[in-house]
Amino acid sequence: MSTDEPARTAREFAGRRWLFPSALIHELDPEGEASARRPRRTARDWVVDLSCFLLAVGIGLAAARSLADEPGLPHSLAVLDQVLGALACAGLWLRRRLPVGLAVAMIPVGLLSNTSGGAATVALFTLAVHRPFRYVAWIGGAGLALVPLFFWLRPDPDLPYAGIVTFTSLLTVSVTGWGMFVRSKRMLMLSLRDRARRAETEARLRAEQAQRLAREAIAREMHDVLAHRLTLLSVHAGALEFRPDASREEIARAAGVIRESAHEALQDLREIIGVLRTGDAEESSGGRPQPTPAALDALVAECREAGMKVTLDRGVADPAAVPAAVGRTAYRIAQEALTNARKHAPGTEVTVRLTGAPGDGLTVTVTNAAPPARVPPVPGSGQGLIGLRERATLAGGHLDHGPRPDGGFEVRGWLPWARA
């Protein structure tokens, strides 16, 4: 749940809180769910409670006037009837706090007091609103079972026995059904609240996942782009370090390559930062064109300037026809494979082969011969190939790599190329 949700809920009810029942607001308020303190009555609660109290008193007064017409009713029982009726009406102010206890107490009271009928009806309605059906079934069922017994002991002087029993039973069932309907509406509102909270949580999780995937994509892009540039810088800087007797022309040429590689690395870094600002490198405006298979010539030329022996075998008739996403992934595979060959097999011959056609897919193969001598292991090696495999998988293809029988190494990636 977001941290500002309690404040938002408070704002929602701030101007119209009096329109809602206190129990419902307590359930809708995230802070109220964790609080053991009882919710305070709202203006609506006071109006409803007062109306229920007056209704029960009115029914009780009407029943009290009819006590004098009951044949054979002792005066003491009539007094007890009215006292119990008054206590039952007063007990209605506890109906929100003790709905089950009040409804249970109304069963024996209702059997002894005719003036408590209104209070018993309100108590049953409250029970149906605030408690699950199992409570209503047991308590309401017990009350219905005692209706025939009550009117058999104290028959109505104006209505027949069957008629008054049927009327009272139907009234009890109707009040119970009304209370259950009110409860179902409240439960529906609470379920919609829970669904809204789950939707907000799922949306936040999806946003966090999208951010994580974006960070991973940017990290892969940064590795693929900058590793190549920084490797070139390392090669030329190492040449200057181990050849102090180089001519001025060679030093100037190496320094120029270092400067150009550093400039290209900064440009690539700016593009990656642009991805953070725009969300997608393809949508960023003002940036350099994204690499395609046609840019492999420039990539191979850079590697040759760094002293690598690279051969490019392009078996694609029209590199510009390759889809942008597929072409960019193919370029990154070749770039990372050349970087790995420069680090792990320096001085060997490397072959870059690009083949494929629409409908058959695009295949990028980079092979290098075995190094003439043992090369010390490079810390952190292997991460680039893992990133390339993930990149190829996301593009719908696959990537395989491993040693060759002659001691060399091969990286082969296949990418889908749909027909136009």
Side-chain angles (χ1 to χ4, degrees), residues 364-378:
V364 184
T365 307
V366 181
T367 59
N368 61 268
R374 183 178 181 275
V375 180
V378 180

Side-chain angles (χ1 to χ4, degrees), residues 261-280:
S261 297
H263 176 72
E264 293 290 335
L266 289 176
Q267 288 293 104
D268 292 333
L269 185 59
R270 290 191 185 99
E271 290 181 4
I272 294 171
I273 294 175
V275 174
L276 289 172
R277 294 173 178 170
T278 60
D280 193 345

Side-chain angles (χ1 to χ4, degrees), residues 43-79:
R44 177 190 180 278
D45 290 342
W46 283 107
V47 171
V48 172
D49 290 348
L50 182 60
S51 300
C52 291
F53 174 76
L54 295 177
L55 176 63
V57 170
I59 296 176
L61 292 176
R65 281 199 298 264
S66 66
L67 292 179
D69 299 332
E70 287 192 31
L73 182 65
H75 177 72
S76 58
L77 185 57
V79 173

Side-chain angles (χ1 to χ4, degrees), residues 141-162:
L144 279 176
L146 293 177
V147 169
L149 177 62
F150 175 81
F151 287 106
W152 182 72
L153 295 174
R154 299 179 60 177
D156 190 278
D158 300 324
L159 296 176
Y161 175 78

Side-chain angles (χ1 to χ4, degrees), residues 238-287:
L240 291 178
E241 179 182 2
F242 291 102
R243 292 191 58 190
D245 58 342
S247 63
R248 295 176 60 89
E249 291 78 8
E250 292 176 344
I251 294 176
R253 185 169 59 253
V257 172
I258 292 175
R259 179 184 58 81
E260 183 65 24
S261 297
H263 176 72
E264 293 290 335
L266 289 176
Q267 288 293 104
D268 292 333
L269 185 59
R270 290 191 185 99
E271 290 181 4
I272 294 171
I273 294 175
V275 174
L276 289 172
R277 294 173 178 170
T278 60
D280 193 345
E282 294 181 351
E283 298 176 359
S284 59
S285 58

